[in-house]
Amino acid sequence: VTTDGQVLKIAGARSVWDINNDLADRLAEQRKAAGGSKEELLKKVREITHIRPLSELPVPEVQTIATAQQSGYRVENVVLRPGPGLSLSAMLYVPSGGVKKSVLVVAQDGKLSVAAQCEALAKEGAIVLAVDLPNCGETKSNWSHGAQWEEFFGPSYKAVMLAYQLDRPFVTLWTENILVCARYLRQLPENKGGAVQLVAAGTTGPAALHAAALDTENVIASLEIDQTPESWDAAVRTPEGKGQFIATVHGALRTYDLGDLRAVVEARK
């Protein structure tokens, strides 16, 4: 029995945060002690996430919904279907002159949130594909536990838990979608086979890191991520981390962290 009703004031009491910090310390030491080559690391990443090589992913069906000519570029509203029951809404920006580079944009808040950025790139000669990954933009889930719950766990808690129970975390789904979209963009006639610059913002960042690190066909030339967690270790140590649940992989910290993937991507430059 406590003297004032506060269990954590008992001498030697430890909170969940204390326990998580200790666990994070042990897992960090475990990862450091494991060592191994880059190839061994990426093999383990595939085993944990079940992310398939791009060569095993089907070519998507593509449907053009509408086309509009703008000053210096045209924009197409397209739908990519990388698998049964899965549709990705996207905007394709094609410059009027020659294509200087190709850019794939995946943003947490969807393609419309980066429309101005894509338009500017198209005017500079870039062919740009902005994609709503599952549960982003137009496909964002409307399942809700209420505003206070969503502030911390994100608006997609039920969808994330369903994906977890199916052993197909959103990071896995998004990574495969990114690779498929990058291949599609690279193979467009206007692009003439140019490798793709990948740009990600928010919770799509970890999936973009996985895609760049696991890119065995060199479809991704470079990676730019913004407003993305530096590491899952930091998320564990943050008492009130917000909206990061959808960008996690259960059990990953036993073997790797996002920094390990960054090192792989940096080494390829």
Side-chain angles (χ1 to χ4, degrees):
V1 178
T2 66
T3 57
D4 54 11
Q6 297 295 323
V7 176
L8 286 178
K9 291 185 178 180
I10 298 175
R14 302 171 72 241
S15 69
V16 171
W17 295 333
D18 295 325
I19 295 170
N20 281 344
N21 282 335
D22 288 349
L23 178 59
D25 288 339
R26 292 198 300 272
L27 292 176
E29 288 298 321
Q30 179 177 312
R31 294 193 302 274
K32 183 178 179 180
S37 66
K38 178 191 73 175
E39 290 74 19
E40 290 171 333
L41 170 67
L42 295 181
K43 181 180 179 182
K44 291 176 182 177
V45 170
R46 287 198 189 276
E47 291 173 352
I48 293 168
T49 61
H50 308 298
I51 295 170
R52 293 170 291 176
L54 181 54
S55 59
E56 297 180 11
L57 299 176
V59 175
E61 297 178 7
V62 181
Q63 179 183 5
T64 300
I65 305 300
T67 301
Q69 187 64 45
Q70 305 294 334
S71 177
Y73 65 96
R74 77 173 186 273
V75 58
E76 300 178 8
N77 186 346
V78 300
V79 175
L80 295 90
R81 298 185 175 90
L86 181 59
S87 297
L88 307 178
S89 175
M91 302 295 285
L92 177 65
Y93 301 79
V94 183
S96 299
V99 172
K100 297 179 180 178
K101 62 181 178 180
S102 58
V103 183
L104 173 61
V105 183
V106 289
Q108 169 184 328
D109 295 325
K111 60 185 182 300
L112 296 182
S113 70
V114 292
Q117 176 186 355
C118 296
E119 291 168 0
L121 286 168
K123 290 177 180 179
E124 295 171 358
I127 184 170
V128 184
L129 183 66
V131 181
D132 283 344
L133 295 175
N135 223 58
C136 297
E138 292 184 22
T139 64
K140 188 175 181 179
S141 170
N142 59 4
W143 290 347
S144 175
H145 277 283
Q148 187 175 15
W149 182 278
E150 290 183 0
E151 180 183 0
F152 293 97
F153 292 97
S156 311
Y157 175 77
K158 288 186 177 180
V160 174
M161 286 303 298
L162 178 60
Y164 164 63
Q165 290 165 358
L166 293 172
D167 199 22
R168 288 282 292 172
F170 268 88
V171 170
T172 296
L173 179 61
W174 284 354
T175 299
E176 293 187 349
N177 292 161
I178 288 170
L179 288 168
V180 166
C181 290
R183 180 179 59 191
Y184 163 73
L185 181 57
R186 182 174 186 175
Q187 293 177 346
L188 286 175
E190 298 91 341
N191 190 27
K192 299 179 181 179
V196 174
Q197 298 179 15
L198 175 58
V199 178
T203 52
T204 59
L209 266 174
H210 283 75
L214 294 170
D215 175 21
T216 56
E217 298 191 17
N218 299 318
V219 295
I220 298 173
S222 64
L223 172 64
E224 177 185 332
I225 53 178
D226 184 44
Q227 298 178 346
T228 292
E230 285 297 313
S231 68
W232 287 323
D233 179 88
V236 171
R237 299 176 190 275
T238 302
E240 294 185 352
K242 298 181 180 180
Q244 299 183 42
F245 194 32
I246 197 170
T248 59
V249 175
H250 183 72
L253 282 177
R254 297 189 184 101
T255 305
Y256 75 103
D257 200 352
L258 299 179
D260 299 310
L261 300 182
R262 282 192 178 88
V264 171
V265 174
E266 289 293 325
R268 290 177 178 170
K269 291 183 177 179

